[in-house]
Amino acid sequence: MEFDLTPKIAQKVFEGEGGAYYSWSSSEFPILGEDKVGAGKLVLQPRGFALPHYADSSKVGYVLGGGDGIVGMVFPKTSKEVILKLKKGDVIPVVMGAVSWWFNDGDSELVIVFLGETSKSYIPGEFTYFFLSGALGIMGGFSPEFLNRAYKMNKDEANKLAKSQTGVLIIKLQGGKTMPKPNENYTNKLLYNIEAALPDIRVKNGGQVTTLTEAKFPFLDQVELSTKLVRLDANAMFSPTYTTDSSVQLIYVVKGIGQIQIVGINGKQVLDTEVKPGHLLVVPRFFVVAKLAGGDGLECFSITTSKKPAFENLASKASVWQALSPMVIEASLNVSTELEEIFKSKIGKNTILIPFNN
């Protein structure tokens, strides 16, 4: 089987005065469709407003940086709008079918990357959005007669309702326009700042790993995904790792330059490449991935298509090699007892993060 896992940069789908939206196309990145995952990136300029919409996929948003933001959501089977305050490092699950709008109320560019699964999407590997208003909105798709009956308005009123908003996807609000205030209680419950959280693993000169599952962030259960933020120090390595539960990993490179290798079926190396900020990578189920940071370190945000992912690594004291008996290792690798003992003693000193001087 052939796998093209070459990392890709997002392509611009829309740009206007209020901001832009970027996406990774499954036609140019087929592994997205094959593994049923997708990604997009929203860039809002100050006063930029992404019109209310819903999508055919569940995903997780990660605020990469920029100004402050506000998001409003109406979840399925509810009739209440929830307003949340966004800041850099926030993780926000976006439930399939939930209506949301996004607004940049800061003074600098607001950037959010979305990673999700697309098993129920119209186009495998991509998110399809349905806008309530605007030039591509649902409101304008119905005839004035239908809107007149549905909203009990005369035809002129119905026509204004459907046609007044001529913007597409993202608009810029005038300075006099105000937006609703965020609800702090909901913000604390429905957002999780992964950058401010205590890491699950921290290794001197190695870096740190922070994982979010439903156990730590219950709202993640709604999208049935888990997330991870890996920050590698200069020249440090993230041990070769794979999922044991058939889940897929989708990785976005946030900062730094490094090297990533992936090994798949029959021990074939399917990827050996340099990565840089903005790159998106897919790690198919059961494939083994290792990351090596460059001189300035490497930071990656990822999702796994399981709310309770199971990982195994191959180069630490918790690895499967450490668990196997000496006789099995000697026979499997065809090495001497002496080399087997050196091998196990070396990995016995490792964690999943391996410093350069290790």
Side-chain angles (χ1 to χ4, degrees):
M1 299 176 66
E2 293 296 324
F3 293 87
D4 182 4
L5 304 184
T6 307
K8 299 290 193 299
I9 298 287
Q11 301 300 308
K12 188 182 296 180
V13 175
F14 170 82
E15 184 173 30
E17 189 180 4
Y21 183 74
Y22 300 77
S23 181
W24 285 264
S25 167
S26 59
S27 61
E28 296 183 3
F29 201 5
I31 191 66
L32 291 174
E34 294 167 14
D35 279 355
K36 299 180 176 60
V37 288
K41 185 161 62 176
L42 176 65
V43 178
L44 290 179
Q45 300 299 328
R47 306 289 303 168
F49 176 59
L51 297 170
H53 59 273
Y54 58 93
D56 61 356
S57 307
S58 291
K59 52 192 175 290
V60 171
Y62 176 53
V63 182
L64 295 172
D68 294 327
I70 298 173
V71 57
M73 288 191 171
V74 180
F75 298 105
K77 299 181 181 179
T78 72
S79 57
K80 185 176 181 179
E81 182 185 47
V82 176
I83 314 296
L84 310 174
K85 183 69 174 176
L86 298 172
K87 62 181 180 296
K88 183 178 182 296
D90 278 343
V91 171
I92 175 169
V94 183
V95 181
M96 177 176 61
V99 171
S100 68
W101 53 262
W102 307 74
F103 178 64
N104 181 357
D105 65 342
D107 297 324
S108 58
E109 200 173 65
L110 177 67
V111 184
I112 306 168
V113 66
F114 296 94
L115 308 180
E117 62 84 32
T118 63
S119 60
K120 298 179 181 178
S121 67
Y122 277 96
I123 306 173
E126 298 182 28
F127 307 141
T128 298
Y129 293 100
F130 298 81
F131 283 80
L132 300 190
S133 63
L136 302 180
I138 294 169
M139 188 72 77
F142 286 101
S143 67
E145 291 78 14
F146 269 60
L147 294 176
N148 169 243
R149 292 290 300 273
Y151 300 113
K152 296 184 178 180
M153 292 182 169
N154 62 46
K155 290 185 178 180
D156 287 340
E157 292 170 334
N159 190 58
K160 288 181 180 180
L161 198 68
K163 305 296 184 182
S164 293
Q165 180 53 267
T166 58
V168 180
L169 309 187
I170 302 168
I171 62 173
K172 184 173 183 177
L173 297 186
Q174 299 303 312
K177 295 284 186 180
T178 60
M179 300 300 282
K181 299 295 183 181
N183 183 300
E184 187 173 336
N185 291 332
Y186 281 114
T187 295
N188 294 335
K189 186 181 298 184
L190 304 181
L191 295 176
Y192 194 106
N193 195 281
I194 196 170
E195 290 187 7
L198 289 175
D200 301 289
I201 302 170
R202 177 182 284 152
V203 176
K204 184 179 180 180
N205 298 323
Q208 61 186 48
V209 179
T210 307
T211 302
L212 288 185
T213 65
E214 61 174 346
K216 190 183 294 185
F217 183 23
F219 187 44
L220 269 177
D221 178 63
Q222 298 296 309
V223 293
E224 299 188 339
L225 300 168
S226 57
T227 74
K228 181 179 294 183
L229 180 64
V230 175
R231 288 172 161 173
L232 291 175
D233 290 340
N235 303 308
M237 184 179 189
F238 190 91
S239 170
T241 306
Y242 61 96
T243 59
T244 63
D245 58 0
S246 80
S247 56
V248 175
Q249 297 177 73
L250 187 60
I251 302 171
Y252 179 83
V253 180
V254 178
K255 294 179 183 177
I257 293 175
Q259 184 178 5
I260 289 183
Q261 292 187 356
I262 299 176
V263 176
I265 298 169
N266 296 325
K268 181 179 179 181
Q269 186 184 89
V270 290
L271 184 69
D272 179 12
T273 190
E274 181 182 82
V275 294
K276 59 184 180 180
H279 269 155
L280 185 75
L281 300 97
V282 178
V283 185
R285 58 191 188 279
F286 302 113
F287 281 34
V288 184
V289 58
K291 309 179 186 76
L292 183 63
D296 294 324
L298 182 66
E299 183 174 325
C300 299
F301 177 78
S302 63
I303 65 160
T304 305
T305 57
S306 170
K307 59 183 181 180
K308 296 180 180 179
F311 290 95
E312 181 66 71
N313 77 83
L314 297 176
S316 79
K317 57 188 176 184
S319 76
V320 64
W321 282 119
Q322 190 72 358
L324 290 172
S325 60
M327 297 78 78
V328 172
I329 294 176
E330 290 173 27
S332 300
L333 298 178
N334 191 26
V335 297
S336 66
T337 299
E338 180 182 15
L339 186 54
E340 180 277 329
E341 290 174 351
I342 294 173
F343 175 53
K344 291 196 74 170
S345 69
K346 293 291 186 181
I347 63 174
K349 298 175 183 177
N350 284 345
T351 66
I352 196 170
L353 300 177
I354 306 172
F356 175 62
N357 59 3
N358 191 31

